[in-house]
Structure formats: structure tokens, C-alpha cells
Amino acid sequence: MKNLDCLVDTPETAEIKRYALETLRADLVGVADINRFSNAPLRMSPQGILPAARSVIVMAVHHPDAAMERGGLEHPQIIGPYAIQYSMNWRLDDMSYRMSRFIEELGYEAVPIASSNIWRYRGYKDLTAQFAPDVSHMHCAVAAGLAEFGYNGLAITPEFGAHQRFVTIITDAVLTPSPLLEPGSVCDNCMICRKECRSGALSKEINGWNEVKIEDKVYRYANKNLWRCAWGEHFDLDLDLPIPEHVDEKVIMEATVKYGRRAGEMGSCQRYCIPKHLRYFDREYTNAPRRRRQFIANPELKDVPFHRGVFEQVRAMAANWGVDNVLIASADSVKEKLNCDLDKLLPGAKTIVSMIACRNPFEADLTNPRAHENRFDNAVSPILIQAGYDAVRLLENHGFTAGQMFEFPEDKLQEVLAVPGKQLHTVTLLTDALLPETGWKLPDNRPSRAVTPQKLTARLRREMTMRECDLVGIAPAERVDALVPQLQKIFDGEIELSAVNKADTIYKPYEPEIVEIERKVTGTDAYLPNAKSVIMLGLRMPHGSVDITARTPAEAAGPYVFAQYETIMRLRVLAWNLIGRLEEAGYKGALALDLHNTGSVCWNPRGNYPDAFCNVFAAAAAGLGTVSECGTLVTPQFGSNIRFAAVITDAPLEYNEVLKNMVLECANCTKNCVAACKTAAFGDLKPFVLDGVEMPFRKIDINRCNWAKRYSLVASEGNQYTGWQLDEKYPENADLNELRAQLDAGLRKVPQIEKIRPCNFEQCILACPYSRKQD
């Protein structure tokens, strides 16, 4: 990186980088000018997704050295501490989504891209690339000056080699581009990756080079057979099986049926890829190259007390994520209390740092199969892991070794720390840093302080504002429950056909098991006895993600689908922290992602996630918007591009009024939402009254709606834009048994590969002028 331009960053560029590095805790951040993508295939380019794009922002987080050096020691499919990889995907999604919101608040358009898992397996129309994402984060990282390509096709950086992952945000903001790296300045063609690749993807079926021209520079990497690479990397097939000389989709599919899955692979191309200036070997510690660090702990300071600023940073980062307690104990203490030898897990480890969640066990205990949506496990595990991940990287930056997801006895730790009447969750990291120790007894609950409803309400609202929640509305439980009798007349007794895949591996053909569920509207008492208040939290879908869906040259469905699930994942984190504040004040709280049980789900790469019709009635009761004819909630701030979570509590609070002067144009609309529905799911208008305000909406036939967006049987609901062409007509005039048989037959046609990463959006919402401008 020589002769750098002396031009400083524009104010917007500086703000974005500060937010990335300080708030989101990215390890690297870079910017590419859109002109650097002039040679990219249009359907896989930033300008293909957002035609007005002027800049691309790329952020990276690195794999901890301990994860790379101690993971995969025995076998690439015994990944050990490398399992942090999956949580890094969660983190990158969180960073991409939050950065896009930050850019919107600066006054620009932004489209966040998912970290992984949204692909066009066989290309799309004139796009011939296989396993093609919406945009390639690795290509974007090279264009943003963070990396160059190694022989293995990975984007490798001078700081970490291949030991990081990237995420991308596209924006129309004009930002200062980062200088490009010189081709060949990081990869020295050592070919360790080629030697260690168990699938032979870097030595067999190589078809020359892929060349990437960016400005005046040409980068290149081996043109490998991606199906061969995917043998263990994507399809989890046993790398010890004999792998045919030629691997293609047919070979892969036959192998998945014959052999099933072994486990996820820790890619050797990544594990062994360290640039020459950082690479050294320590065969007693690991069989992979180790990374020389820019910061090295001073051994002469071994008798000096640990830096208190770093110690407090660890605790503060934990609190910022929502961790309740942090336990720090020495290796000797761990040996005594848990009979665990840290040195066998991580050679040289001297200390553990345990992130602890200790909460009241109030969770919804409903009998319907969607009750799992409200489990705190969906929020607390990512929170603890991310807090630990931040602490690991902080300690590494100060020269120490640290890592998590070793085979640490978390169950024994939880037994030792057990608190009567509390649920405990722990995630433990190991380090060679001698941090100050804490005691082994969890402190008693913070004494609850008498606080007025006004002060508690202000405290809760401030907490949510600090955590970037878009909307907070609060309703008395009585108002929310007053809707139940009205909604029961509309929804109760409807029979939903609920299907799950019973195949013993997700890579085998779909084997449906279908059960009948009778819908029953629920109120606050199903979640928490004696509830007094319902707090509604709202997070917006990025405007750019909705606006471009399936109608810009890339014809991408991915950004909308990503926003669908990321808003829910983030809402769970917000709700967890809100309930923590309630407990500190002496109250209880429970989470509900569809309080009245009147919505459904969308099938996407993260599973079945609540759809846009969930929690709309509770959100209206909290004064956040008005219910539209198609059954979504339209808010003054974000239209219908928003998702909600409900926190039911026994705390008395200050309440919002119902919006009484917000008049929608649905009555004068051309009913694009109804016309867009390929299964004719919308029925007649059903009125309900909320605090004297009548809000008519069209009751949706749940089986018709699910046919499209839950079961992926209507191509135009999103999947056709990934190359998935299954399009099954909904069986009209079928009785329940006939419908069940048709659903079973349709699900058995779901493509064997594509079903792993379905991309369904909601056509009715995209057709609504309150969602995006209509042509």
C-alpha cells in the first residue's frame, strides 16, 4: 500500500467508518467507488441491485486465532472452537442491517446484503456463475481495498490472511474510496491450501484462472469446480469418502441420499491461509500455520496487575449486549470447582471469562407449534456468544490468546452457579491473560427501587432508543385483551395444515409430515398472569431493501428476505434487554412475536419467521399505526415496512393513545394487494373496533397464504428470482383431505438443493403503496 492519496475522508465517510469500528466493532472497514464494479456481471453487481449506487461499504470481523489454530486439529469436520464461524454470520448480518439504518439516518439510500446463505445455485438467466450470492462479499472486499485474492479464491488481507469474513452495504452516498491492494502483495502462492484441501477442489478439475479487473489492476484466482468444493463445505458429506474424479450436482445429490451428512467442514483453504509476513509454525501447538500478531503481550509484565481499563472494557461490552453477570476465574480455581484442565482445551490458558444470563423463567407456554418463536434461547445464546466474541478480539488486540466454543463443561458451571427460581445460560471463553478474579457466587438481584410509572416508562424508552429501536408504543393490557373476543369471531376455529420435513437430513428430498391445527386467538394471560401493560417494539425494513426487490436489473429477492429475518432476530435482542430492565425494577416480562396468534410465517434461509401480519392488532392498540385492508399495520413513519415484538409485563406504565386521525387510502385503492396474491388468499372485509376507531381488514385464508410463502409452492412469491421454478396451482374447491394430499404432493416436488435456502417475500405487501412507490 504505497503512495497513498493524501485526500482525507469526507465527513459522511468518516461517520460511517466510526460507526463501523466503534459501535459495530468491525475489525476492518473499506469503501469502494461504484466504478470499480464496471466489469461485474450486472445481475451480481451492486449497481444491478441499486441502480443509483455510488459506493459500496465492506466490513470484516476476524476469526480468533485460537479458533483457527485449535479448530479442525483432528479432522476438518471436527471443527471445535471454529464453530464461532456460525455466530460470526449472525454478527455480520446484525452489522449489515444496522449500518444500512445508520446510512438512512444520514439521508441516503442503503441496501444491506446478508452475510451468507442466499444463493443462486445454478446461475440465473444470463448469469452463469454457480453458487452466486446477490453480490460477492469477497469481490467487494477486494474492490474496497481490504483484500486481494489468494490462489484459493478467498479474499485475503494483510492483517489476517483468510481468517475473516466480510459483509457488504450498497448506498447512493458518494464516499471516499479506500486505496486498492496490489495484486500479489498478500498471497505468495505457498500452495499449502492446495496440499491440505481434502476434497481436491484446489488440485483437481481446475479450469484455468478467474481474472477480476478493478481500475488498472488485475486480480486472479484458481477457477475451481465449486460442486467439488461444496462436497464437505456446503453439503456436509464425509471428506473421508471416496470422491469421484468428476463432481457435479447429480453426484452430490446421489451422495447425500446414500451417505447422509457427517458434519460441517472447516475449510482447509481458509485454515491454512496466512500471508508470508505473518506465517510461522509451532507444531506442538497446532498443525496449521500460526499468525504473528501486530500486538504482543509483554512477558516482563507478568507480575504487574492486569490493565484495569481492558478489564472494565470486557465487563462493559458484556453489559452492552445484555449479559447479566461476568464470572472470571483462574485455571486453578476452575480445576478445583469443575475438575476441568484448561490447558488441555487451550494450551497456556490461565483464566476463564463466563458470560452469564440469569433471569426469571417467564416465557410463553402455548400449545401451538409456534411457541418456540417466543423462547428466550433465540435471543440469549447469540447475546452471550457475541459478548464473548467481542471480549476475545479485545484480548487478542492486547496481545493475548483467547477463544470460545471449546468443550468447556458449561453444565457443571451452571450447577455450581445455580440460583433458585432462575434460569441460567452461560458461554465461556478461555484466555492466557491473567484477569482479576471474581467470586463464584452470583450476586443477589439488584434491589428493586420504587419507581413511578412515568419514570419507569421513560427509562424503558431511553433503553430502546439507545439500542436503536425505531418505534415504542405501550398499551394497557385491558385494551389489547379487549380485541380478543372480536378477533375470535374472525379467526377461531380455522384449521391450518402445518407441515414439517421429517427427512433425516435437510439435503435429502422433502418428506412432509402434515398435522391439522385449530387456530385459537390468545390474549395476554396466555403469556403472563396479571399482565398490566404491553410494550410494542418496532423495527423497520430498510427502504432500499424493499424498494429494489425483484424490479431492478439484478432481480434480487435476497435483500427483502434478509430484512424479514434480521428484524425479528434484532427484535429478540431488544426484548431481552427490555425485560432485563423490567426485572431490575421488580417486574416480570414475556416475549410474544404474534401475541394474538393471528399471523403466520415466511420460509427463508433461517427457517420459518413471523410474517408481516403478526402483532399488527397489538401494535395498533399501542398507538403505532392503523390496520390496512390487507391486514398489515401502516405506521406514519415507515408505512408497512416494519416488524413488531410484544413484551407483556405486570408493570404499570404510561400508555399511548390509539391513533384516531390516521386515515388510509385503502378504500380508494386499486387493490393491488389482492390482485398480487396468486392463491386468492384475501377474503371479505372484517371490521373490528379499537377504542371507538373502526379498522376493517380482509381476513386471509391461512392455508392459501401458507401455500405461497410458507411452503414455497408459488414461484412468483420470491423463489423464481433464485432460479427455483416450482409453481403449483392452489387446489380450488378441495376439502381438507384433498388439500392435505395436494400439499403433500407439492412439498415432495420442492427442489432438493434449493429448499435449503428458500427466499419467499410477500407479494401483497410489495404491491402496496404504503410499502413502496407503485408504477
Side-chain angles (χ1 to χ4, degrees), residues 497-503 506 508-515 603 608 706-714 719 724 726-729 739-755 758 760:
L497 294 180
S498 180
V500 295
N501 183 9
K502 301 301 290 185
I506 61 173
K508 290 184 177 180
Y510 202 117
E511 295 179 16
E513 180 179 83
I514 303 172
V515 298
W603 191 15
N608 281 321
N706 284 348
W707 186 271
K709 65 180 175 53
R710 179 174 180 179
Y711 298 125
S712 298
L713 298 177
V714 175
N719 281 307
W724 176 346
L726 180 64
D727 200 20
E728 294 290 293
K729 185 176 176 57
L739 179 59
R740 185 190 195 117
Q742 291 291 327
L743 178 59
D744 181 281
L747 288 172
R748 293 182 186 276
K749 297 178 184 178
V750 169
Q752 189 172 342
I753 294 182
E754 285 92 329
K755 76 175 188 303
N760 295 294

Side-chain angles (χ1 to χ4, degrees), residues 57-80:
I57 301 153
V58 182
M59 297 180 287
V61 291
H62 87 269
H63 296 79
D65 292 332
M68 303 304 295
E69 295 165 0
R70 301 294 294 177
L73 267 173
E74 182 180 343
H75 189 278
Q77 288 173 297
I78 304 175
I79 64 176

Side-chain angles (χ1 to χ4, degrees), residues 467-537:
R467 295 187 179 278
E468 303 174 1
C469 185
D470 288 315
L471 297 178
V472 179
I474 308 175
E478 295 91 338
R479 188 192 296 164
V480 173
D481 289 336
L483 293 172
V484 172
Q486 298 184 69
L487 297 176
Q488 285 175 333
K489 293 177 182 177
I490 300 170
F491 292 96
D492 268 17
E494 183 178 22
I495 302 299
E496 176 184 6
L497 294 180
S498 180
V500 295
N501 183 9
K502 301 301 290 185
D504 58 9
T505 170
I506 61 173
Y507 299 104
K508 290 184 177 180
Y510 202 117
E511 295 179 16
E513 180 179 83
I514 303 172
V515 298
E516 296 178 10
I517 298 171
E518 182 177 345
R519 178 170 283 191
K520 180 181 179 182
V521 173
T522 54
T524 60
D525 58 347
Y527 299 85
L528 187 69
N530 304 312
K532 290 186 174 63
S533 306
V534 176
I535 308 169
M536 297 303 302
L537 310 177

Side-chain angles (χ1 to χ4, degrees), residues 691-735:
D691 260 17
V693 180
E694 186 173 286
M695 300 182 188
F697 71 99
R698 294 180 184 276
K699 164 71 174 62
I700 293 174
D701 182 314
I702 194 168
N703 289 314
R704 289 176 178 270
C705 187
N706 284 348
W707 186 271
K709 65 180 175 53
R710 179 174 180 179
Y711 298 125
S712 298
L713 298 177
V714 175
S716 62
E717 200 69 26
N719 281 307
Q720 74 177 43
Y721 299 101
T722 66
W724 176 346
Q725 294 302 325
L726 180 64
D727 200 20
E728 294 290 293
K729 185 176 176 57
Y730 186 84
E732 299 293 341
N733 303 317
D735 63 23

Side-chain angles (χ1 to χ4, degrees), residues 43-121:
R43 294 193 193 277
M44 196 178 167
S45 69
Q47 62 270 32
I49 289 177
L50 180 65
R54 300 296 297 277
S55 304
V56 173
I57 301 153
V58 182
M59 297 180 287
V61 291
H62 87 269
H63 296 79
D65 292 332
M68 303 304 295
E69 295 165 0
R70 301 294 294 177
L73 267 173
E74 182 180 343
H75 189 278
Q77 288 173 297
I78 304 175
I79 64 176
Y82 178 73
I84 191 64
Q85 162 91 352
Y86 304 111
S87 294
M88 289 169 66
N89 284 345
W90 188 99
R91 180 59 166 273
L92 289 164
D93 281 346
D94 187 72
M95 293 166 65
S96 181
Y97 170 71
R98 292 172 66 190
M99 177 59 81
S100 71
R101 292 162 42 89
F102 183 78
I103 293 171
E104 282 186 344
E105 287 162 8
L106 292 177
Y108 301 98
E109 199 85 339
V111 178
I113 305 298
S115 64
S116 186
N117 303 133
I118 293 175
W119 296 318
R120 287 164 165 164
Y121 286 87

Side-chain angles (χ1 to χ4, degrees), residues 286-340:
T286 183
N287 54 11
R290 299 196 69 182
R291 180 179 76 98
R292 290 189 177 92
R293 298 182 195 148
Q294 283 87 348
F295 307 99
I296 302 173
N298 189 343
E300 296 179 4
L301 297 179
K302 62 181 179 180
D303 297 323
V304 175
F306 190 83
H307 194 301
R308 287 182 298 165
V310 177
F311 171 72
E312 294 299 344
Q313 268 188 281
V314 170
R315 288 157 55 94
M317 286 190 302
N320 286 338
W321 273 105
V323 173
D324 297 315
N325 302 98
V326 177
L327 167 73
I328 302 176
S330 68
D332 289 342
S333 183
V334 171
K335 180 77 171 176
E336 177 188 348
K337 293 279 188 180
L338 306 178
N339 192 29
C340 175

Side-chain angles (χ1 to χ4, degrees), residues 155-436:
I156 60 177
T157 67
E159 293 81 10
F160 307 111
H163 297 181
Q164 71 273 301
R165 288 183 58 78
F166 305 97
V167 78
T168 303
I169 302 92
I170 306 164
T171 178
D172 61 357
V174 178
L175 305 175
T176 307
S178 306
L180 295 169
L181 292 182
E182 289 296 326
S185 62
V186 185
C187 179
D188 65 333
N189 290 303
C190 68
M191 294 300 170
I192 302 175
C193 60
R194 176 175 173 145
K195 174 186 172 185
E196 297 292 343
C197 177
R198 295 283 186 105
S199 69
L202 295 174
S203 57
K204 297 181 178 181
E205 300 189 85
I206 299 292
N207 185 20
W209 297 92
N210 286 312
E211 292 193 343
V212 179
K213 190 174 191 307
I214 303 175
E215 293 184 349
D216 61 342
K217 306 184 190 305
V218 178
Y219 303 88
R220 69 176 195 167
Y221 57 92
N223 185 14
K224 58 191 176 186
N225 175 1
L226 291 177
W227 290 104
R228 175 177 287 277
C229 178
W231 180 275
E233 171 69 21
H234 183 66
F235 295 102
D236 300 348
L237 287 163
D238 193 338
L239 289 166
D240 293 334
L241 290 169
I243 301 177
E245 287 303 304
H246 174 64
V247 180
D248 57 17
E249 180 181 351
K250 183 173 182 291
V251 168
I252 291 280
M253 291 300 93
E254 290 174 349
T256 58
V257 172
K258 183 176 181 180
Y259 300 111
R261 302 169 70 187
R262 174 174 178 174
E265 177 189 1
M266 181 178 183
S268 295
C269 55
Q270 183 183 41
R271 183 170 188 256
Y272 290 87
C273 185
I274 292 289
K276 184 177 181 180
H277 63 275
L278 298 178
R279 185 169 65 232
Y280 76 101
F281 292 90
D282 180 355
R283 302 295 184 185
E284 293 185 3
Y285 183 83
T286 183
N287 54 11
R290 299 196 69 182
R291 180 179 76 98
R292 290 189 177 92
R293 298 182 195 148
Q294 283 87 348
F295 307 99
I296 302 173
N298 189 343
E300 296 179 4
L301 297 179
K302 62 181 179 180
D303 297 323
V304 175
F306 190 83
H307 194 301
R308 287 182 298 165
V310 177
F311 171 72
E312 294 299 344
Q313 268 188 281
V314 170
R315 288 157 55 94
M317 286 190 302
N320 286 338
W321 273 105
V323 173
D324 297 315
N325 302 98
V326 177
L327 167 73
I328 302 176
S330 68
D332 289 342
S333 183
V334 171
K335 180 77 171 176
E336 177 188 348
K337 293 279 188 180
L338 306 178
N339 192 29
C340 175
D341 186 349
L342 297 187
D343 197 65
K344 290 183 179 179
L345 301 178
L346 179 65
K350 299 181 177 66
T351 309
I352 65 165
V353 180
S354 288
M355 305 293 174
I356 303 168
C358 181
R359 293 285 179 89
N360 291 322
F362 279 92
E363 296 183 346
D365 186 23
L366 304 179
T367 56
N368 73 67
R370 293 182 57 198
H372 69 279
E373 294 173 4
N374 305 314
R375 288 185 56 81
F376 280 141
D377 288 0
N378 294 317
V380 68
S381 294
I383 286 169
L384 298 181
I385 291 168
Q386 295 305 325
Y389 178 58
D390 278 343
V392 165
R393 291 184 297 149
L394 175 69
L395 291 167
E396 275 198 353
N397 287 341
H398 284 271
F400 299 102
T401 294
Q404 59 201 109
M405 298 193 174
F406 294 95
E407 293 184 5
F408 185 80
E410 302 285 357
D411 54 343
K412 291 184 180 179
L413 176 64
Q414 291 168 21
E415 286 178 15
V416 170
L417 298 175
V419 177
K422 296 283 187 179
Q423 286 183 340
L424 255 72
H425 300 263
T426 59
V427 168
T428 301
L429 67 93
L430 282 58
T431 179
D432 60 1
L434 279 171
L435 280 72

